[in-house]
Amino acid sequence: MSQKYSLSVSSQFERLAEIADFVADAACACGLNEDQVCDAQMAVDEACTNVIEHAYRGKPDGTIHIVCERRGKEFLVTIQDFGARFDPNKVQPPKTGDPLSKRRIGGLGLFFMRKLMDRVEFDFSSGPGNRLTMAKKIKR
Amino acid sequence: MEPEIRIIAPQGRLDAAGAQPLEVELKQRIAAGETRLIVDFQETRYIGSNGLRVLLAALKQAQEQGGALKLCGLIARLKEIFVMAGFDRVFEIFETREDAEKSFRN
């Protein structure tokens, strides 16, 4: 039986540190190594920042629900919000090779999530808001 | 006389919350004409995309005014994040504060 770790927080940037601690504890308990814990922590930080900025547009009274679990050889994180729909296909990836004069400021959050996790999937079929699932293969 | 070099040393986490005071400070410094800036990350454990955006915007502003923004003291994990984002090609990154200061004088 896999254990689930869950946390519900309000949509405020001030809660990001608490989210990071929660993810670190859960990822560690699920068997991720130290580097992988940092990867998962950052991916969730970026995802929740997007939720606060885009889904809730900075409104502090939204809810973010985070569930972490180990499923087989994967660490899974599900992040549910009840804000505006977020279409990841509309976000242009940053051109990380561009010189300063051409670098756009933005698009980095999703870029990091995809870089740090093995799977990043948005699901809009289950009611209001956004449901994001990210997975990382557990290496020891 | 050479203008002063200003050192800013953010502490803890530069997530979306932690990046806000850094953004305010950098903007104020640059607006006041302090455009020779070093951000020392010795006491910074984490930086996310908002923190990176704040640095990028400040670098552009400083350079537009003939100055520079240089970085130092990054722990290994922070360096990895900078490399991933391609920021190692955009910023001058030094091991120590002294190295960064020297580069302004050379």
Side-chain angles (χ1 to χ4, degrees), chain B residues 20 69 106:
Chain B
Q20 284 171 345
L69 183 143
N106 290 340

Side-chain angles (χ1 to χ4, degrees), chain B residues 19-30:
Chain B
Q20 284 171 345
L22 177 66
E23 181 175 26
V24 170
E25 171 153 24
L26 285 167
K27 275 188 177 161
Q28 283 174 348
R29 298 279 178 208
I30 294 167

Side-chain angles (χ1 to χ4, degrees), chain B residues 42-60:
Chain B
Q42 231 180 118
E43 290 179 43
T44 309
R45 289 186 290 121
Y46 172 79
I47 187 162
S49 62
N50 280 42
L52 292 171
R53 274 197 285 271
V54 165
L55 291 174
L56 191 64
L59 173 65
K60 284 185 181 180

Side-chain angles (χ1 to χ4, degrees), chain A residues 93-110:
Chain A
K95 293 184 177 135
T96 55
D98 273 0
L100 176 65
S101 55
K102 285 191 180 169
R103 282 291 302 250
R104 280 183 317 109
I105 295 178
L108 269 174
L110 202 57

Side-chain angles (χ1 to χ4, degrees), chain B residues 42-86:
Chain B
Q42 231 180 118
E43 290 179 43
T44 309
R45 289 186 290 121
Y46 172 79
I47 187 162
S49 62
N50 280 42
L52 292 171
R53 274 197 285 271
V54 165
L55 291 174
L56 191 64
L59 173 65
K60 284 185 181 180
Q61 286 167 359
Q63 285 188 347
E64 277 163 15
Q65 296 188 35
L69 183 143
K70 306 188 185 205
L71 316 178
C72 66
L74 284 86
I75 57 168
R77 177 70 193 175
L78 253 60
K79 245 180 235 170
E80 278 172 33
I81 295 170
F82 273 81
V83 170
M84 247 185 261

Side-chain angles (χ1 to χ4, degrees), chain A residues 13-50:
Chain A
F13 288 149
E14 290 70 23
R15 306 301 293 271
L16 290 170
E18 183 185 337
I19 294 171
D21 288 342
F22 160 76
V23 173
D25 290 345
C28 206
C30 290
L32 292 190
N33 68 32
E34 207 178 313
D35 283 344
Q36 290 188 307
V37 169
C38 289
D39 290 350
Q41 244 184 337
M42 182 169 190
V44 174
D45 182 70
E46 295 296 349
C48 292
T49 300
N50 275 348

Side-chain angles (χ1 to χ4, degrees), chain A residues 70-98:
Chain A
R70 178 179 181 146
R71 204 175 288 170
K73 288 182 176 165
E74 278 187 333
F75 173 68
L76 286 185
V77 191
T78 310
I79 300 169
Q80 172 80 52
D81 69 66
F82 307 94
R85 290 283 163 96
F86 171 74
D87 185 351
N89 297 317
K90 284 189 182 155
V91 179
Q92 266 195 13
K95 293 184 177 135
T96 55
D98 273 0

